[in-house]
Amino acid sequence: MTMDTKNGNGRTAGRGIGIAAIRGLALALISLPGAVLGFCLSLVSIALIPLGVGLVTTPYVLTGVRAFANWRRVLAAEWGGVRIPPAYRPLPRGANPWTRTVALLRDPATWRDLRWLPVDMTAGFVTALLPAVLLLYPLEGFALAIGLWRVFPDTYWYGFVPVTGQASAFGAAALGLVLLFLAHFLNPRVLGVHFRLTRAVLGGNQRELAERVRVLTETRRDAVDASAAELRRIERDLHDGAQARLVAVGMDLGTIEALLDKDPAQAKVLIAQARKSSVEALSELRELVRGIHPPVLAERGLGDAVRALALRLPVATEVSVDLPGRAQAPVESAAYFAVSEVLTNAVKHSGADRIWIDLHRADGMLRASVTDNGKGGAVIGAGSGLAGVERRLGTFDGVLAVSSPAGGPTMVTVEIPCA
């Protein structure tokens, strides 16, 4: 039993070393060009503001930088267990380019993002790449020991070991073993240092507590505005839909009562019409209730509600759910309508023929990912459905991350804190 436990722990540690190396290598290969591109485009775009060109380009560039930073926040939470809450100020709706540019540049979170980019392309790149180096570089030392040193006509340096013959090649292998031993202990910790470095630059500090309170105040105002708009929509739908049909049913019933003895045939026609109007009114009321809070969400929970939502889509959809319990009703409702809006966007604009939905809860966070194999190009911009989703999630300290390169695939991740 003890031996099996030790073997199991060894396999777990081995997987941890390998996973840390793979994740670090992926981060290094993606973050370096992404950080360099975002930083250069930001500098050029901001410098062109006096010429007028930057007024058009800056909002798009800084929105892209925010999306890149939010994606790294999601990875920090999923891969490193490091929470980096965003504190972006909501952008004014329907604003002109000048107003949007000024709002972005006056947001302290924008300058935190810009300070983070050069840190990410230097120290962040090194701390992300180091786990892969510690795991892969020893392989070169082992290769030298089994004869690779003969390929090099002159002295070959492996680390600080000059390899000139078989004895020194064994020395290189010994150094490789030392590095592999260090990788066993350091790889997960080095990757953790990378994510903590990201949090140190991207995350707020105590001096920004007032800014955080202000952001919460604005998101609360957005929630109140959204609730008021929803109440107006419900009132309008009731007045123009079900209420009008029920009034027509009442009028038909009055006419039927007058015609019942005089013209039974016409009365039968009006009865059929009244029955049809009542069925349509009932259907509209059901749709209205479903739009407010779907019964399946209240009765069966988020997983079954999303499955029911997927069944109504015209695109083949796979749903994976791993939710051990029920979250709070407001959180479930926010996640449901966020997924619904993302699915609506995917069906309307992506041109996809397949969609995957993944729901799971980990580390006190409810995460929902929607992936499609469409044409890509989705962005969080003013007027888009995703901007509204991001604004509503801000009420719950939620995060919306979008990965949608041209040509696809598109992956939208929603993350909401929940108990």
Side-chain angles (χ1 to χ4, degrees):
M1 175 68 86
T2 303
M3 185 176 296
D4 292 341
T5 303
K6 290 181 178 179
N7 291 337
N9 291 338
R11 287 193 295 269
T12 302
R15 285 196 297 269
I17 296 170
I19 290 174
I22 293 172
R23 288 175 173 176
L25 182 61
L27 276 173
L29 294 178
I30 296 174
S31 65
L32 178 61
V36 171
L37 179 64
F39 186 68
C40 293
L41 289 179
S42 298
L43 290 182
V44 173
S45 184
I46 293 173
L48 292 176
I49 289 177
L51 301 179
V53 179
L55 293 178
V56 179
T57 59
T58 299
Y60 294 102
V61 172
L62 294 183
T63 300
V65 171
R66 285 189 175 189
F68 182 61
N70 278 334
W71 173 69
R72 296 297 293 279
R73 287 184 173 98
V74 173
L75 288 187
E78 293 185 349
W79 289 359
V82 177
R83 306 292 172 201
I84 312 174
Y88 297 116
R89 295 179 180 179
L91 296 177
R93 298 181 222 175
N96 57 47
W98 170 254
T99 304
R100 286 178 56 81
T101 301
V102 171
L104 284 166
L105 293 179
R106 291 182 63 183
D107 189 348
T110 298
W111 298 104
R112 279 200 302 271
D113 290 349
L114 295 180
R115 288 196 302 268
W116 166 70
L117 290 174
V119 174
D120 191 52
M121 70 178 72
T122 52
F125 174 76
V126 172
T127 53
L129 188 62
L130 190 56
V133 172
L134 288 175
L135 186 63
L136 298 178
Y137 192 51
L139 300 180
E140 183 181 348
F142 301 150
L144 290 170
I146 61 176
L148 183 63
W149 65 272
R150 294 185 176 90
V151 177
F152 305 103
D154 299 324
T155 301
Y156 180 81
W157 287 86
Y158 177 75
F160 56 83
V161 177
V163 180
T164 57
Q166 188 61 51
S168 55
F170 283 134
L175 177 59
L177 281 175
V178 172
L179 293 176
L180 200 59
F181 179 77
L182 291 176
H184 178 79
F185 292 99
L186 295 181
N187 268 15
R189 292 179 174 84
V190 171
L191 196 61
V193 169
H194 171 85
F195 291 125
R196 286 192 292 274
L197 175 66
T198 303
R199 180 176 60 185
V201 183
L202 275 184
N205 52 38
Q206 292 297 325
R207 292 178 297 177
E208 294 167 341
L209 181 59
E211 173 67 16
R212 177 65 177 154
V213 172
R214 193 197 59 77
V215 169
L216 290 175
T217 302
E218 292 191 5
T219 56
R220 183 182 62 182
R221 186 183 64 224
D222 287 340
V224 172
D225 292 342
S227 298
E230 184 70 9
L231 288 174
R232 289 193 297 270
R233 182 190 68 82
I234 294 170
E235 182 181 10
R236 183 180 64 251
D237 290 348
L238 283 173
H239 182 272
D240 297 340
Q243 180 179 334
R245 294 190 184 280
L246 290 175
V247 170
V249 169
M251 296 175 63
D252 288 342
L253 290 175
T255 306
I256 291 168
E257 186 178 6
L259 293 177
L260 199 57
D261 295 328
K262 299 178 182 179
D263 191 351
Q266 183 64 25
K268 288 183 179 180
V269 173
L270 291 177
I271 290 173
Q273 181 177 330
R275 184 187 301 112
K276 180 181 178 182
S277 296
S278 66
V279 170
E280 290 176 349
L282 181 60
S283 176
E284 289 183 359
L285 285 173
R286 285 174 176 168
E287 288 296 325
L288 185 62
V289 170
R290 187 178 293 114
I292 299 171
H293 194 78
V296 66
L297 179 61
E299 297 170 4
R300 304 289 299 275
L302 181 61
D304 286 341
V306 171
R307 290 190 184 99
L309 190 64
L311 290 175
R312 297 198 297 269
L313 296 178
V315 178
T317 305
E318 296 182 14
V319 181
S320 174
V321 178
D322 182 15
L323 298 175
R326 296 287 299 270
Q328 303 94 326
V331 172
E332 284 192 335
S333 181
Y336 174 84
F337 286 108
V339 171
S340 177
E341 183 66 34
V342 172
L343 289 174
T344 300
N345 281 359
V347 171
K348 285 185 178 180
H349 306 299
S350 71
D353 58 12
R354 198 161 191 84
I355 297 175
W356 295 266
I357 305 172
D358 177 68
L359 293 172
H360 67 278
R361 192 171 58 137
D363 302 325
M365 307 293 287
L366 174 62
R367 298 191 186 100
S369 298
V370 178
T371 308
D372 66 67
N373 61 350
K375 60 185 179 182
V379 294
I380 305 175
S384 73
L386 294 179
V389 172
E390 184 180 44
R391 192 164 51 249
R392 288 192 295 271
L393 290 176
T395 309
F396 299 88
D397 282 343
V399 176
L400 177 71
V402 179
S403 173
S404 183
T410 295
M411 181 177 181
V412 181
T413 301
V414 173
E415 187 175 83
I416 307 175
C418 73

